[in-house]
Amino acid sequence: MIKKWWHDKVAYQIYPKSFYDSNGDGIGDIPGIIQKLDYLHELGVDILWLSPCYCSPLADEGYDVSDYYNIDPRFGTMNDMDQLIAESKKRGMYILMDLVVNHCSDEHEWFQKACEDPEGKYGNFFYLRDKKDKELPTNWRSYFGGSVWEDLPGTDKQYLHVFHKKQPDLNWENPELREEVYKNINWWLEKGISGFRIDAIINIKKALPFRNYEPDRDDGLSSIHNMLKEATGIGTFLGEMRDRTFQKYDAFTVGEVFNEKPEEIPDFIGENGYFSSMFDFNETVCGGSEKGWYDARQITPEEYKKCCFEAQAKIGTIGFLSNIIENHDEPRGVSHYIPEGDCTIKSKKMLAALNFMLRGIPFIYQGQELGMENVPFSSIDEVDDISTLDEYKTAINAGLSPEDALHAVAKYSRDNARTPMQWSAQPNASFTSGTPWLKLNPNYITINAEDQINDPHSVRSFYKQLIALRKNPDYKETIVYGTLEPVWEEQKNLMAYYRKGEKTLLIIGNYQNEEQEVYLDSSYKKILLNNDTILKQHDQHLCLSGYQVVILEL
Ligand code: TEU
Ligand code: CA
């Protein structure tokens, strides 16, 4: 395997709006990120992925870009961005931008021009269809609810949007559009960023010609997935994009890829794949329901283990997955993956170690290193996220009471991850000196960076140790390149695996409150990490306390 600069790195996702506000307007910004670079450097992370901070009406919080070449004034200036790139470089860190090119904003110049002249050049940048009486071009349901078709203002046409109506899909079948995308990617890479996280990319190829699919809800519409399943030929676009852009710069790219087929994995992330890596979403989608969030089911420890191992087996050593326990679209991992009532500093560390030691690139989402938790919502009015609002409506339409609907969607709300970063126990967690754009999780009094930095037993200190272990020259080769082999898979609420390379490591997590024994058929050399003060042992039996996790060198 050819070694790449990013193989041994640790990535950290920043959601700029909620990271750190430098000027008191209640909105996190790029100067705020610069001020916190030392915090990140001290933690040990290398690659920083910034969720979108381009010009945007923020209908979908920046995933609706109105100008790909400029920074939204709320987040700062291009000068700030240049400074962030330079300051990161000084610290040996790398910046990834978020590439959002399945769609743009309806406030983007291209779309405005398409409205003015739908038959002209820019009309063909989008998917436009003639408007018909009482009939939609197709019956596809958008990700954020309702039809994917919307009237094109001032015309007799309709445009396609698989996400929000303020996010018109870009027509990738049009080579002129693709050129514009590549131009922009290269422009950013020239600027000195190190790569991209690539948003919703699996949606760029539609099944042609457009047709209706079997309706799957009472609204008579059909999930967008039914169309995507039938789409073929995305590789032509992705390969072209790689050749024209990323490859020339040796960029690191991580794709937001959902429904890839096993036989496609080498094309996606193998040697010279379309992307360097792609996220493992096997755990995040587990328990989901076709009907909506209200019908979703909490994932169990057994399922979590199965999902991780399944994803690992699927990829093997073909390439590198990017492993997450949460991101800006998900509830907080500790609230989601640890059974209710069991969420403690100790169990948070267990989850951290089990996830972090998997083969792949570890991604930490802001606040994850503190063990930030889901937010208690007391009313739907506190919710900002368009996806949560839509899911709430779906739940109400399905007959849930407003109370039950709120309770149901709160568990999965994207806002759980989007509340401001908890820097200290001071007012507004020191995120802002003004009024925060989204309410804080009131638990910042007890969960915050300031308290955790100097506490050797904090969740953050544990993350720091995990990162340091991955970088330790004695173990690096094994942790980065070693294979992963599950062990004691049948033992309930126990997740354990070997990492085998130059050395052999064994990671064992007791995923329950009760203690649990495992039988070790050889002795171990060393305990590399332990979230408990001791490791009980008699003869060859290790007895792990509730939620204990250990990393052993054999
Ligand atoms: O998400 C893509 C995605 O597939 C969504 O359906 C995701 O599952 C959604 O969050 C469900 O609530 C990406 C971004 O990560 C997300 O923040 C954007 O809203 C979306 O693309 C559109 O750009
Ligand atoms: Ca600000």
Side-chain angles (χ1 to χ4, degrees):
M1 170 172 291
I2 301 167
K3 296 210 167 162
K4 296 284 195 179
W5 66 266
W6 46 266
H7 281 159
D8 60 355
K9 301 295 182 272
V10 177
Y12 187 97
Q13 181 189 354
I14 292 176
Y15 195 71
K17 199 173 184 186
S18 300
F19 193 58
Y20 185 62
D21 173 21
S22 71
N23 62 355
D25 65 356
I27 295 176
D29 44 54
I30 297 171
I33 300 174
I34 298 173
Q35 287 181 38
K36 295 296 182 185
L37 276 181
D38 286 330
Y39 167 89
L40 297 168
H41 188 236
E42 196 265 349
L43 181 62
V45 297
D46 313 279
I47 296 177
L48 305 179
W49 152 29
L50 269 55
S51 272
C53 48
Y54 314 99
C55 289
S56 165
L58 306 187
D60 187 20
E61 295 303 355
Y63 285 92
D64 46 324
V65 181
S66 56
D67 182 352
Y68 291 97
Y69 292 92
N70 274 302
I71 300 296
D72 193 284
R74 282 165 284 199
F75 296 131
T77 63
M78 193 54 84
N79 200 24
D80 296 330
M81 191 67 215
D82 289 332
Q83 212 182 322
L84 173 63
I85 296 169
E87 289 297 321
S88 310
K89 267 204 183 115
K90 271 191 209 161
R91 292 165 177 82
M93 294 161 91
Y94 308 82
I95 299 289
L96 299 189
M97 291 292 271
D98 208 312
L99 185 66
V100 190
V101 289
N102 172 67
H103 45 269
C104 61
S105 161
D106 65 342
E107 298 182 28
H108 193 287
E109 194 188 357
W110 297 336
F111 191 78
Q112 305 288 321
K113 286 186 171 161
C115 296
E116 282 160 24
D117 181 14
E119 306 295 342
K121 167 173 167 164
Y122 292 99
N124 200 25
F125 271 40
F126 300 93
Y127 292 100
L128 306 184
R129 292 291 184 271
D130 289 332
K131 188 175 174 175
K132 289 197 199 122
D133 213 24
K134 289 191 204 124
E135 196 194 333
L136 294 166
T138 65
N139 67 343
W140 310 342
R141 183 187 309 105
S142 82
Y143 286 101
F144 295 144
S147 166
V148 295
W149 295 99
E150 192 70 26
D151 292 352
L152 187 70
T155 71
D156 54 2
K157 298 201 181 289
Q158 294 187 306
Y159 68 92
L160 174 80
H161 62 90
V162 303
F163 290 95
H164 194 256
K165 64 177 184 220
K166 282 186 72 63
Q167 296 169 299
D169 278 53
L170 291 166
N171 177 11
W172 274 70
E173 304 292 336
N174 177 359
E176 272 188 287
L177 175 272
R178 301 205 298 274
E179 285 306 317
E180 286 290 346
V181 171
Y182 306 154
K183 194 175 98 189
N184 179 253
I185 295 173
N186 289 327
W187 186 86
W188 277 102
L189 290 169
E190 280 298 324
K191 225 178 206 320
I193 66 160
S194 304
F196 293 92
R197 173 269 186 181
I198 304 178
D199 185 67
I201 195 67
I202 223 65
N203 296 279
I204 64 171
K205 185 73 196 185
K206 276 71 173 164
L208 300 169
F210 288 180
R211 69 171 183 88
N212 285 338
Y213 294 87
E214 199 55 46
D216 52 17
R217 285 189 198 169
D218 293 343
D219 59 8
L221 299 174
S222 181
S223 160
I224 202 79
H225 295 292
N226 296 327
M227 178 277 289
L228 289 176
K229 266 193 291 214
E230 282 200 357
T232 51
I234 194 172
T236 315
F237 296 157
L238 299 180
E240 183 184 82
M241 173 158 66
R242 170 201 57 209
D243 296 343
R244 296 287 308 282
T245 62
F246 312 136
Q247 198 165 57
K248 299 190 286 182
Y249 295 85
D250 197 19
F252 172 69
T253 54
V254 50
E256 193 192 20
V257 177
F258 281 92
N259 41 12
E260 81 287 348
K261 300 171 187 86
E263 65 273 17
E264 294 174 332
I265 291 167
D267 297 337
F268 273 85
I269 59 166
E271 207 96 52
N272 195 35
Y274 308 136
F275 307 121
S276 312
S277 177
M278 61 188 189
F279 289 111
D280 169 23
F281 290 120
N282 220 24
E283 302 77 42
T284 57
V285 299
C286 180
S289 158
E290 299 270 289
K291 294 184 190 164
W293 290 356
Y294 76 89
D295 192 48
R297 187 174 53 67
Q298 207 70 27
I299 165 173
T300 64
E302 280 300 286
E303 287 172 319
Y304 183 79
K305 163 171 73 180
K306 248 181 97 195
C307 287
C308 290
F309 289 164
E310 208 178 80
Q312 289 281 326
K314 217 165 72 174
I315 305 301
T317 52
I318 295 173
F320 292 86
L321 282 169
S322 285
N323 298 312
I324 58 165
I325 70 165
E326 65 205 38
N327 64 25
H328 67 292
D329 290 335
E330 296 297 325
R332 288 289 179 174
V334 294
S335 303
H336 187 59
Y337 297 119
I338 298 169
E340 220 173 320
D342 286 356
C343 193
T344 62
I345 291 174
K346 193 174 179 192
S347 59
K348 289 174 183 181
K349 291 177 181 173
M350 179 211 66
L351 186 65
L354 288 178
N355 183 267
F356 200 90
M357 294 299 288
L358 293 170
R359 191 175 180 283
I361 315 297
F363 270 69
I364 298 170
Y365 177 73
Q366 66 182 45
Q368 179 185 324
E369 77 277 24
L370 307 176
M372 276 179 65
E373 298 171 1
N374 275 357
V375 192
F377 292 104
S378 49
S379 146
I380 193 69
D381 300 330
E382 287 175 351
V383 172
D384 165 83
D385 167 38
I386 45 178
S387 186
T388 311
L389 295 173
D390 166 59
E391 293 286 352
Y392 178 77
K393 227 168 38 188
T394 306
I396 295 284
N397 290 343
L400 272 73
S401 70
E403 220 183 21
D404 290 347
L406 178 67
H407 181 73
V409 301
K411 280 194 218 156
Y412 304 100
S413 174
R414 306 198 297 178
D415 279 351
N416 283 308
R418 297 178 180 187
T419 60
M421 176 75 175
Q422 296 170 195
W423 293 106
S424 81
Q426 302 303 309
N428 290 325
S430 300
F431 159 70
T432 179
S433 58
T435 309
W437 73 277
L438 187 66
K439 84 162 199 179
L440 282 117
N441 193 323
N443 68 11
Y444 70 82
I445 306 292
T446 51
I447 299 177
N448 64 71
E450 194 174 75
D451 289 351
Q452 292 198 20
I453 287 171
N454 299 315
D455 172 5
H457 304 296
S458 68
V459 176
R460 188 183 184 279
S461 294
F462 194 77
Y463 267 97
K464 212 178 138 177
Q465 287 175 295
L466 280 168
I467 297 168
L469 178 63
R470 184 177 162 90
K471 299 193 168 184
N472 182 326
D474 290 341
Y475 302 104
K476 187 168 154 163
E477 192 276 344
T478 307
I479 297 175
V480 174
Y481 296 104
T483 56
L484 181 141
E485 258 176 54
V487 57
W488 308 307
E489 258 184 286
E490 300 307 315
Q491 197 167 326
K492 197 174 168 217
N493 294 347
L494 184 93
M495 179 165 161
Y497 53 91
Y498 293 109
R499 295 298 315 278
K500 293 184 176 173
E502 274 172 6
K503 302 198 190 278
T504 300
L505 307 183
L506 174 59
I507 296 90
I508 319 172
N510 178 17
Y511 214 138
Q512 62 178 21
N513 233 329
E514 299 72 39
E515 57 176 36
Q516 167 157 219
E517 282 196 1
V518 294
Y519 179 77
L520 210 58
D521 47 20
S522 63
S523 59
Y524 62 85
K525 283 192 193 131
K526 225 193 223 170
I527 303 178
L528 301 180
L529 214 56
N530 184 356
N531 68 346
D532 202 339
T533 44
I534 52 159
L535 175 57
K536 276 202 268 176
Q537 181 170 9
H538 55 92
D539 309 322
Q540 301 280 91
H541 293 270
L542 298 184
C543 179
L544 282 87
S545 60
Y547 290 104
Q548 182 169 18
V549 72
V550 287
I551 303 176
L552 306 177
E553 180 182 352
L554 300 189

